[in-house]
């Protein structure tokens, strides 16, 4: 085929197919995952099409069914699309699913939200649950840090939007991410993939599967990714925030007969990047005295930032950086057809070993010289389920047990510049007051949970189905937190010491000992009614009353006027969630087009918010309950495939998520740092140096952090048959993009931390020989858009704002081969 005829074929690929004509399966289209299931079915290919019907098969309701049959908001991404779009972890997946948000300053401090809900911004507190559950092959991953690892040999990913408490548990008040990997096969198959690109990007993936005997099969998969960092640290001479991931998964399938299958799986993943540093973005006036704000403090110490343009991608942070962590585990999954149903057992152990080093002052000055909080996590889970499918009734009943132990050993030490930065008067001129001041934190958490659950599907008629579900859950948490503080000479810093130096040191790092406990029973339920208006039109409505379990503060609590810990702040109440959703799922034009629409309204009483007090180490951040938050919106997912030569999609979401009532929230930086108002006094205007600051702020009615009101994902692919290297196949041109409007990057919205909206666009051009190999060139963030993933308020209310720039334009080449 000539270049001109190829171009003509690509441009004319959208021509309609005559009504009733068969539509050949596309080898690798880029149709949207977010609700565009008809398009995603072709993504997943034969591996997911277990029914041979051309419909993608999902397990969102713990049983196999086609995605368009599931009466809930669901986004499905096939393994092929994950690879071709470069969405190799959850952070990249957010560009394909508009209602999914991820924010990460390092693997531990990572938040995964759906529709603006899930987990609050800020330093992670081990004493409470996530609101978006992550499951891999039915195994619950309790630590959200797993979200920053590369996907490994994935068949599909289902993003379940809205509360999923009946079947997925107390940790899914906002939704769940259900990941299914490729399973061992009794026919030999394998795949290898290699990618190279700028920024020294290298990625290798391989998977091999096949029989060992007539009843035993195995599958082994490997993934390795490395990339130079995107920020240059002039202090160390290194590029930081690099990628350095290695993953390995092995599975053994024992299938003695058609009724029984037993799968033993193990995985190990490691990261060892020099990460995670930030760049200077701006300063904003606070209510601290003018001489104690950033510009004056930096000038007094002869310090100037290496660049005031954040997209120069330069920093000078002087403390050690490390984000080394290891995650892995073993699981045993048993599926046994017994009588009219299937009995499933999932037993698992998982671990996480986290070894961080950070620069918590975000500058090149020795203010905080060491900040480390290594932790070790072990979890054990056991789930039993029985699934029954009959002519008019389906049901799932089960039980789930969970035990978790987390141990953390923290160290925070101040340096020679800390006195000038944090103290006043003569003490500020004496660097020995805070130089060497160190706190050692010892903490552990024991978390035990047990639940029984069930969900019934009653087909009242051929069109009407009623689906109620219930879950009873018990939780118990026992915690321990001890902070011991010593000055630079090794002497303990204690309450009761009246020496001005000791008082000043206690104001920076305060000793504390608490042993919080929590236990409670909770009951969740939901009801979904669905009605088939026509063979390819399904309407549904859902009401869910669920919860997120209460928690304990594992990072310390405030103290009273006598400097005693306020023990009542050691625990937080459970979240109470009420959720309404209505939707319509449609397919038309002989199923060439899919249009799904959903509207939702979710309220959470006693929302678990992360609170900080603006100081370096008095509290790293503790949990409190906001009275109420609310998220409501509309999601529209559309995909079209008029022929096997062209497909396109566009998905959009409007999300209005706000604090309904939060009257005692932490104040934003422009209202912090001054003298706390007394009786009869009025707080100063925002950003008034030396002003009066409110003790806390009423942020009722303001937007929740991280939520863009508008978010879209979109893309298209055109292809044409060609012969290349003696192989018949397809040349294809594809693009995918995303847009999100502005969002707040601080728990209490601040004029200084709004991230501007941005759009990202990616292109691919390649050739594939169906079932044999695929080679394509790609460019991501093709227009080199400058944007921030997150902005952070610096400590001590000096007005410093730092940020993490998003990836610049990257480009490369990928080659994959099936055998």
């Amino acid at each position: 085929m000539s270049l001109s005829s190829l171009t003509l074929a690509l441009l004319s690929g959208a021509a309609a197919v005559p009504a009733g004509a068969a539509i050949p399966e596309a080898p690798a289209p880029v149709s949207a995952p977010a609700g565009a299931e008809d398009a995603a079915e072709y993504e997943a290919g034969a591996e997911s099409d277990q029914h041979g019907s051309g419909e993608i098969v999902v397990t969102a309701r713990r049983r196999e069914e086609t995605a368009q049959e599931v009466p809930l908001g669901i986004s499905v991404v096939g393994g092929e699309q994950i690879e071709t779009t470069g969405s190799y972890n959850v952070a990249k997946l957010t560009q394909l699913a508009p209602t999914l948000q991820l924010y990460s300053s390092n693997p531990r401090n990572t938040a995964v939200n759906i529709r603006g809900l899930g987990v609050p911004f800020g330093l992670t507190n081990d004493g409470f649950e996530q609101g978006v559950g992550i499951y891999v092959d039915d195994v619950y991953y309790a630590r959200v840090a797993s979200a920053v690892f590369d996907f490994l040999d994935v068949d599909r990913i289902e993003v379940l939007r809205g509360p999923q408490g009946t079947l997925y548990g107390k940790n899914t008040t906002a939704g769940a991410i259900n990941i299914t990997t490729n399973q061992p096969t009794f026919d030999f198959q394998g795949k290898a993939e290699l990618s190279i690109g700028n920024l020294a990007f290298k990625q290798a993936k391989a998977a091999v599967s096949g029989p060992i005997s007539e009843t035993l099969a195995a599958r082994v998969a490997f993934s390795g990714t490395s990339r130079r960092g995107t920020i240059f640290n002039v202090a160390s001479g290194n590029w930081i925030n690099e990628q350095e991931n290695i993953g390995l998964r092995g599975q053994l399938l024992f299938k003695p007969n058609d009724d029984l299958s037993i799968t033993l799986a193990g995985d190990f993943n490691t990261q060892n990047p020099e990460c995670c540093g930030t760049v200077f973005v701006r300063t904003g006036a606070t209510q601290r005295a003018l001489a104690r704000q950033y510009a004056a403090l930096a000038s007094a110490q002869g310090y100037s930032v290496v660049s005031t343009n954040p997209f120069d991608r330069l920093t000078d942070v002087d403390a050690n950086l490390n984000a080394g962590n290891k995650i892995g585990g073993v699981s045993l999954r048993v599926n046994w057809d017994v009588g009219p149903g299937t009995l499933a057992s999932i037993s698992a152990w998982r671990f996480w070993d986290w070894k961080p080093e950070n620069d918590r002052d975000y500058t090149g000055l020795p203010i905080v010289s060491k900040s480390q909080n290594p932790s070790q996590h072990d979890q054990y889970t056991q789930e039993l389920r029985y699934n029954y499918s009959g002519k008019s009734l389906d049901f799932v009943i089960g039980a789930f047990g969970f035990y978790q132990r987390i141990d953390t050993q923290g160290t925070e030490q101040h340096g020679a510049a800390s006195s000038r930065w944090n103290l006043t008067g003569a003490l500020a001129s004496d660097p020995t007051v805070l130089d060497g001041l160190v706190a050692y934190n010892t903490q552990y958490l024991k978390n035990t949970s047990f639940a029984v659950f069930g969900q019934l599907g009653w087909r009242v008629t051929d069109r009407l189905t009623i689906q109620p579900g219930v879950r009873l859950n018990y939780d118990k948490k026992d915690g321990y937190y001890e902070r011991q503080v010593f000055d630079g000479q090794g002497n303990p810093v204690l309450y009761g010491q009246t020496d001005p130096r000791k008082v000043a040191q206690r104001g920076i790092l305060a000793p504390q000992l608490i042993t919080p406990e929590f236990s409670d029973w909770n009951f969740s339920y939901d009801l979904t009614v669905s009605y088939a208006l026509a063979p390819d039109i399904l309407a549904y409505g859902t009401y869910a009353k669920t919860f997120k379990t209460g928690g304990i503060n594992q990072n310390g609590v405030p103290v009273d006027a006598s400097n005693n810990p306020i023990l009542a702040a050691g625990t937080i109440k459970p979240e109470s969630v009420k959720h309404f959703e209505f939707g319509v799922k449609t397919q038309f034009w002989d199923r060439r087009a899919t249009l799904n629409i959903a509207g939702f309204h979710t309220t959470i009483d006693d929302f678990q918010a992360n609170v900080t007090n603006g100081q370096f180490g008095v509290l790293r951040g503790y949990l409190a309950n906001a009275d109420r938050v609310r998220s409501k919106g509309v999601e529209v997912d559309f995909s079209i495939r008029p022929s096997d030569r062209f497909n396109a999609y566009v998905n959009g979401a409007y999300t209005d998520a706000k604090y309904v009532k939060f009257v005692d929230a932490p104040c934003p930086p422009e209202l912090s740092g001054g003298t706390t108002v007394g009786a009869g006094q009025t707080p100063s205007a925002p950003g008034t140096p030396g002003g009066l600051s409110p003790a806390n702020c009423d942020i009722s009615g303001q937007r929740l952090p991280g939520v863009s009101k508008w978010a879209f994902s979109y893309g298209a692919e055109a292809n044409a048959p060609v012969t290349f290297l003696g192989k018949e196949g397809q040349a294809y041109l594809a693009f995918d993009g995303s847009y999100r409007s502005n969002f707040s990057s601080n728990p209490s919205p601040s004029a200084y931390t709004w991230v501007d909206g941005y759009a990202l666009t990616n292109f691919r051009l390649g050739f594939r020989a169906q079932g044999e190999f695929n080679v394509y060139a790609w460019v991501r963030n093709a227009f080199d858009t400058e944007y921030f993933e997150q902005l952070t308020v610096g400590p001590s209310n000096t007005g410093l704002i730092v940020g993490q720039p998003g990836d610049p334009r990257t480009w490369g080449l990928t080659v994959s081969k099936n055998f």
Side-chain angles (χ1 to χ4, degrees), residues 337-394:
D337 288 340
V338 287
T342 302
L343 181 65
S345 170
I346 304 99
S347 310
W349 163 74
R350 297 206 60 77
F351 76 91
W352 180 48
D353 188 5
W354 169 231
K355 296 181 179 179
E357 296 180 276
N358 302 296
D359 191 324
R360 288 199 64 229
D361 60 53
Y362 308 116
T363 73
L365 290 169
I367 303 170
V368 177
S369 57
K370 184 181 291 186
S371 179
Q372 304 169 0
N373 277 274
S375 64
Q376 305 81 42
H377 161 266
D378 279 279
Q379 73 168 66
Y380 301 85
T381 57
Q382 174 63 56
E383 184 167 3
L384 292 172
R385 290 197 310 267
Y386 180 75
N387 289 52
Y388 169 84
S389 294
K391 183 176 181 180
S392 60
L393 289 177
D394 299 327

Side-chain angles (χ1 to χ4, degrees), residues 46-367:
E47 290 182 343
S48 291
D49 184 11
Q50 302 173 34
H51 293 229
S53 61
E55 294 282 357
I56 188 169
V57 176
V58 298
T59 55
R61 293 193 291 180
R62 300 303 197 188
R63 60 179 183 268
E64 293 181 357
E65 55 193 332
T66 61
Q68 284 294 107
E69 294 175 324
V70 180
L72 59 85
I74 178 173
S75 307
V76 185
V77 190
E80 188 75 16
Q81 187 176 23
I82 291 169
E83 295 175 0
T84 58
T85 60
S87 304
Y88 50 83
N89 57 31
V90 174
K92 304 294 184 182
L93 185 64
T94 59
Q95 295 184 29
L96 298 177
T99 55
L100 181 67
Q101 301 103 23
L102 182 139
Y103 309 97
S104 180
S105 57
N106 61 46
R108 183 175 187 266
N109 295 317
T110 298
V112 179
N113 289 349
I114 295 175
R115 295 171 171 172
L117 303 174
V119 63
F121 262 45
L123 294 169
T124 299
N125 194 311
D126 294 328
F128 78 121
E129 310 290 331
Q130 306 297 319
V132 175
I134 298 175
Y135 292 79
V136 179
D137 291 335
D138 281 348
V139 175
Y140 171 51
Y141 283 36
R143 298 304 308 222
V144 74
S146 59
V148 302
F149 281 91
D150 292 354
F151 297 138
L152 182 58
D153 196 24
V154 168
D155 174 56
R156 68 181 181 273
I157 298 175
E158 304 162 18
V159 179
L160 283 58
R161 310 193 291 260
Q164 305 297 323
T166 297
L167 295 182
Y168 288 86
K170 59 188 170 62
N171 54 293
T172 57
T173 52
I177 300 174
N178 189 29
I179 300 173
T180 301
T181 68
N182 292 308
Q183 299 299 297
T185 58
F186 283 94
D187 60 314
F188 178 79
Q189 58 181 239
K191 183 175 182 178
E193 179 182 291
L194 179 64
S195 299
I196 58 174
N198 66 330
L199 305 183
F201 176 74
K202 296 180 288 291
Q203 186 175 72
K205 297 180 181 180
V208 178
S209 179
I212 296 176
S213 70
E214 291 185 355
T215 58
L216 189 66
R219 187 178 190 96
V220 178
F222 166 83
S223 175
T225 303
S226 67
R227 194 187 75 177
R228 194 204 75 188
T230 56
I231 297 175
F232 186 74
N233 186 359
V234 300
S236 66
N238 297 333
W239 288 94
I240 62 171
N241 296 6
E242 59 194 345
Q243 295 179 9
E244 198 69 44
N245 302 344
I246 294 177
L248 181 67
R249 176 186 294 274
Q251 299 183 80
L252 283 173
L253 170 62
F254 176 59
K255 194 174 179 63
N257 54 58
D258 291 339
D259 295 332
L260 178 65
S261 64
I262 301 173
T263 304
L264 177 66
D267 67 278
F268 177 78
N269 303 268
T270 181
Q271 293 180 326
N272 192 33
E274 186 175 350
C275 186
C276 300
T278 57
V279 297
F280 176 93
V281 176
R282 65 175 68 98
T283 60
T286 73
Q287 294 186 339
R288 225 182 187 202
L290 190 61
R292 301 186 64 225
Q293 299 204 29
Y294 177 85
L297 290 170
S299 176
Q301 300 193 56
Y303 173 73
S304 60
V305 68
V306 63
S307 174
T308 58
N309 179 1
F311 295 104
D312 285 343
R313 300 179 184 271
L314 297 173
T315 190
D316 61 351
V317 293
D318 58 331
N320 289 339
L321 298 178
N322 185 23
N325 69 122
K326 300 174 182 179
I327 289 180
V330 178
S331 67
L332 182 67
R333 307 192 311 276
V334 180
N335 286 279
W336 183 20
D337 288 340
V338 287
T342 302
L343 181 65
S345 170
I346 304 99
S347 310
W349 163 74
R350 297 206 60 77
F351 76 91
W352 180 48
D353 188 5
W354 169 231
K355 296 181 179 179
E357 296 180 276
N358 302 296
D359 191 324
R360 288 199 64 229
D361 60 53
Y362 308 116
T363 73
L365 290 169
I367 303 170

Side-chain angles (χ1 to χ4, degrees), residues 347-652:
S347 310
W349 163 74
R350 297 206 60 77
F351 76 91
W352 180 48
D353 188 5
W354 169 231
K355 296 181 179 179
E357 296 180 276
N358 302 296
D359 191 324
R360 288 199 64 229
D361 60 53
Y362 308 116
T363 73
L365 290 169
I367 303 170
V368 177
S369 57
K370 184 181 291 186
S371 179
Q372 304 169 0
N373 277 274
S375 64
Q376 305 81 42
H377 161 266
D378 279 279
Q379 73 168 66
Y380 301 85
T381 57
Q382 174 63 56
E383 184 167 3
L384 292 172
R385 290 197 310 267
Y386 180 75
N387 289 52
Y388 169 84
S389 294
K391 183 176 181 180
S392 60
L393 289 177
D394 299 327
F395 66 80
V396 180
I397 57 173
F400 178 78
F402 171 80
Y403 177 77
Q404 176 188 46
R405 166 96 189 209
I406 304 173
D407 290 275
T408 302
Q409 311 83 35
T411 303
E412 184 167 348
Q413 184 170 319
H414 281 242
S418 185
S419 293
R420 170 68 68 179
W421 202 263
N422 291 289
L423 304 181
T424 60
L427 294 177
S429 302
D430 185 353
T432 66
V433 177
L434 298 184
D435 190 13
L437 180 70
V438 63
Y440 299 107
N441 302 332
T442 302
Q443 61 191 77
Y444 69 74
L445 168 71
K446 299 177 182 178
N447 185 3
T448 304
S449 181
F450 176 77
V452 291
F453 58 89
Q455 187 178 82
L456 173 69
W458 176 30
R459 287 182 288 278
V460 182
T461 70
D462 291 341
R463 295 190 175 193
L464 176 64
T465 300
I466 299 176
Q467 178 185 285
V470 295
R471 190 180 188 103
L472 180 65
N473 205 93
Y474 173 75
D475 288 281
K476 188 177 191 306
K477 296 179 179 176
D478 297 289
Y480 178 88
Y481 173 85
E482 181 180 19
R483 166 175 278 186
Q484 295 180 320
V485 183
F486 301 90
D487 64 17
Q489 291 71 48
N491 302 310
V493 176
L494 305 170
Y495 282 112
Q497 296 171 330
T498 58
D499 177 12
R501 293 170 63 93
K502 295 296 184 184
V503 174
Q505 291 163 356
R506 272 201 315 270
I508 301 301
L509 297 173
Q512 190 170 104
L513 173 63
I514 58 172
T515 56
E517 297 179 353
F518 173 87
S519 63
D520 197 13
W521 289 88
N522 285 98
F523 180 68
S524 294
Y525 59 89
D526 57 43
L527 177 65
T528 298
V529 178
S530 59
Y531 188 81
L533 301 173
D536 288 321
I537 303 177
L538 178 71
Y540 67 91
T542 295
Y543 172 72
K545 176 68 172 68
T546 186
F547 76 101
K548 185 165 74 175
T549 185
I552 59 177
N553 270 303
Q554 285 292 100
N555 291 343
V557 296
V559 297
D560 59 22
S562 301
N563 296 316
N564 296 312
I566 302 175
L567 298 182
T571 60
I572 55 171
K573 300 176 185 177
E575 291 184 350
S576 178
V577 183
K578 295 180 182 179
H579 172 76
F580 297 89
E581 183 165 339
F582 299 94
V584 178
K585 292 188 168 187
T586 67
Q587 290 181 304
F588 52 95
W589 194 12
D590 290 334
R591 296 190 175 182
R592 296 181 180 94
T594 298
L595 175 63
N596 296 334
I597 303 173
F600 63 90
H601 186 285
T602 306
T603 59
I604 301 180
D605 291 328
D606 295 319
F607 178 73
Q608 294 168 358
N610 205 37
V611 177
T612 58
N613 66 354
Q615 295 300 315
F616 270 110
V618 179
L619 291 173
R620 286 179 57 84
Y622 66 99
L623 296 171
N625 291 105
D627 290 293
R628 174 175 287 187
V629 301
R630 185 265 293 142
S631 178
K632 65 179 181 180
V634 177
E635 299 161 347
V636 179
D637 307 314
F638 176 71
S639 67
I640 187 169
R641 187 173 181 272
S643 78
D644 60 342
R645 299 293 170 226
F646 181 81
N647 64 81
Y649 70 89
V650 59
N651 305 320

Side-chain angles (χ1 to χ4, degrees), residues 121-122 612 659 666-670 699 703-706 743-755 790-793 801:
F121 262 45
T612 58
Y659 298 101
C667 292
E670 56 265 43
I699 59 173
R703 200 190 307 181
L704 289 174
F743 62 92
S744 168
S745 190
N746 196 55
S748 295
S750 166
Y752 309 144
T753 56
W754 282 95
V755 175
Q790 191 171 338
L791 297 178
T792 301
V793 178
I801 306 296

